[in-house]
Amino acid sequence: MDEALIRSLTPSVLTVLVRRGADFAAAEDAVQEALVEAVRGWADDPPRDPKGWLVTVAWRRFLDAVRADTARRRREDRVEEEPAPGPAPDVDDTLQLYFLCAHPSLTPSSAVALTLRAVGGLTTRQIARAYLVPEATMAQRISRAKRTVSGVRFDRPGDVATVLRVLYLVFNEGYSGDVDLAAEAIRLTRQLAASVDHPEVAGLLALMLLHHARRAARTAPDGSLVPLAEQDRGRWDTASIAEGVAILQAALARDRLGEFQAQAAIAALHADAPTAGETDWVQIVEWYDELARLTGSPVVRLNRAVAVGEADGPRAGLAALAGLDEALPRYAAVAAYLHERDGDLDRAARLYAEAARKASDLAERDHLTRRAARLNSRRREDR
C-alpha cells in the first residue's frame, strides 16, 4: 500500500476524532499510531475502505489512552460511542481542520505554528525558518500550543486571517522548500475563496497563481536556480497569470487593500513585463511602500531596497538598505547584488560568499557560491 495514500488521509481522520470529543494532542498521537499500524499491515492485507479502517483503529487507540490516563478518564463519559467499521464519507476536511487548529484560545502565531506542524506536514525546522526564529524556540511554541488546546473542545473555529497566514506559509515552503505543498495550498485557497467573500482571500489566491506560474522557469535542467531577470518568460504559465491578474483586479476594485493584495500587485507587475528590462520598477517601489505600511516587516523593506536599486540605481538601493539588521535572511545576498551593480566587485564577492554560508537551501547556496566565484574570476582577469 502506498504510504503517500495513507498519509493523505491523515487530515480527515484527525478531523473525525476531534469532532467526536478527542483533545487535539491525544487525537494526533492516536492517528500517528494508526498510521504506523497501517504501514506495517496494509502491504499484505489492504482494507477495502482505508479511511474507515484508519478512523476505527485511531479511535480505539484514543480510547485506550483515555482509559490508561486518570486525568483523561474523567472525560470518558463525554466520549461518543465508537464509530462502527464500514465505509466513511469521502469528504475533504482539510480546510475545516485548518480552521479548527486556528482556535481562539491560541495566539495567531501559535495557531499558525501548530497548524503547519500538525496539518501542513512541515517540520519544526521549516516552520522556524519561516518565522525567522531558532528551531528550539519554535519547538517550545508548538509544545505550548498543544498544551493550551489539550482538553479543549474544537467547537469554535479560528478566524480567516489566521488560516490565510497558514496557507501563505505552506505555499512558500512548497514553492521554495524541500516539501512540495504549493499545489495543495492553491487547492485549499480556491476552496476558501469559493466559500468566503473576502478581498484578502482573493489576494492570496492571486499571489499564489502568479508565483506558481513562473515555477517551471525557476530552475535549470541541472536543478540550479535561475534568477527572475534571467528566466525564459516563454515558459511562464500565461493562463495562470491571466487568472491571477483577473482575480487581483476584482479584489483591488473593492478598495480594501491588504498585504496579500499588495504582494500580488508586485507579482503581477513582474508577470506583465515582456522582458526584465521593461519591468515597471517605479510602480513596484510604490507597492512595496504600501506593503511596508501594512506590515512593518523588515523583510519587506529588504525587498524594497532591491526594487529601489533597480528604479533609482544601486546607490539608492544601498541607502534604502541602511538601518536594516544585517542578520536578516538574505541581507548579505541583497547587499552583494547592489554592490555588484555599483561596481564594487571585491565587496560583492565577499558578501556573496557570506550569503552562501548562511543559506539553508542547497540550490540557493550553490547559486550564491557561483556568483561569488564568477566575480572572483572577473577580478583576477582585470588585474
Side-chain angles (χ1 to χ4, degrees), residues 349-360 365 368-369:
R350 290 195 301 271
L351 285 167
Y352 276 130
E354 177 187 339
R357 289 192 297 270
K358 293 180 177 179
S360 57
R365 187 183 313 139
L368 293 168
T369 300

Side-chain angles (χ1 to χ4, degrees), residues 37-374:
E37 189 168 337
V39 171
R40 290 173 178 170
W42 286 11
D44 298 326
D45 186 22
R48 285 177 295 179
D49 177 25
K51 179 179 174 181
W53 188 97
L54 286 171
V55 168
T56 300
V57 173
W59 185 252
R60 286 172 178 164
R61 295 294 176 271
F62 169 71
L63 289 180
D64 289 344
V66 169
R67 296 186 183 102
D69 189 326
T70 302
R72 292 175 184 172
R73 201 172 290 164
R74 291 194 295 267
R75 298 194 295 274
E76 192 170 8
D77 291 339
R78 301 199 297 270
V79 177
E80 297 179 11
E81 183 180 352
E82 177 182 345
D90 186 15
V91 177
D92 183 1
D93 297 312
T94 307
L95 188 58
Q96 182 178 6
L97 192 55
Y98 272 60
F99 274 95
L100 291 174
C101 286
H103 198 271
S105 63
L106 295 172
T107 64
S109 61
S110 294
V112 170
L114 179 63
T115 312
L116 290 173
R117 183 71 184 92
V119 189
L122 274 64
T123 66
T124 302
R125 176 174 297 180
Q126 290 169 326
I127 301 169
R129 187 173 62 201
Y131 269 88
L132 311 180
V133 299
E135 184 177 353
T137 301
M138 183 53 65
Q140 292 174 355
R141 184 179 299 178
I142 294 172
S143 295
R144 285 196 300 269
K146 287 184 177 181
R147 288 195 298 271
T148 299
V149 299
S150 180
V152 173
R153 288 188 66 88
F154 284 76
D155 54 359
R156 291 186 300 152
D159 65 352
V160 172
T162 301
V163 174
L164 285 178
R165 179 62 51 188
V166 175
L167 290 169
Y168 174 66
L169 291 174
V170 168
F171 176 82
N172 281 346
E173 190 59 45
Y175 189 67
S176 60
D178 53 8
V179 179
D180 189 359
L181 297 169
E184 173 68 359
I186 292 174
R187 184 183 71 84
L188 292 174
T189 306
R190 284 191 186 279
Q191 286 187 8
L192 186 60
S195 61
V196 176
D197 183 21
H198 193 294
E200 271 295 81
V201 177
L204 179 58
L205 178 57
L207 175 63
M208 289 179 175
L209 290 170
L210 289 165
H211 277 308
H212 206 60
R214 302 199 302 260
R215 187 171 189 179
R218 290 184 70 244
T219 54
D222 62 0
S224 60
L225 290 181
V226 180
L228 177 61
E230 300 171 18
Q231 289 177 12
D232 177 2
R233 300 186 177 217
R235 300 183 65 195
W236 289 1
D237 184 348
T238 54
S240 291
I241 290 173
E243 182 185 5
V245 170
I247 292 171
L248 173 63
Q249 289 175 339
L252 291 175
R254 300 178 65 174
D255 199 24
R256 291 168 56 194
L257 183 64
E259 63 173 296
F260 294 124
Q261 294 169 75
Q263 288 190 58
I266 293 169
L269 286 167
H270 283 298
D272 186 56
T275 66
E278 296 174 86
T279 304
D280 189 347
W281 287 105
V282 173
Q283 194 172 168
I284 288 176
V285 171
E286 293 174 354
W287 276 112
Y288 270 121
D289 289 338
E290 289 286 351
L291 190 56
R293 179 183 60 81
L294 289 165
T295 66
S297 167
V299 175
V300 169
R301 293 174 59 197
L302 184 67
N303 292 331
R304 178 185 179 276
V306 176
V308 170
E310 298 291 348
D312 301 323
R315 295 197 177 180
L318 289 168
L321 199 62
L324 290 177
D325 186 353
E326 296 184 9
L328 279 172
R330 296 188 172 87
Y331 178 97
V334 170
Y337 174 74
L338 292 171
H339 280 294
E340 179 185 1
R341 293 263 332 272
D342 195 39
D344 190 346
L345 302 189
D346 288 350
R347 191 167 185 180
R350 290 195 301 271
L351 285 167
Y352 276 130
E354 177 187 339
R357 289 192 297 270
K358 293 180 177 179
S360 57
D361 179 76
L362 180 60
E364 182 181 2
R365 187 183 313 139
D366 289 345
H367 171 72
L368 293 168
T369 300
R370 285 193 294 269
R371 296 292 288 259
R374 178 176 56 80

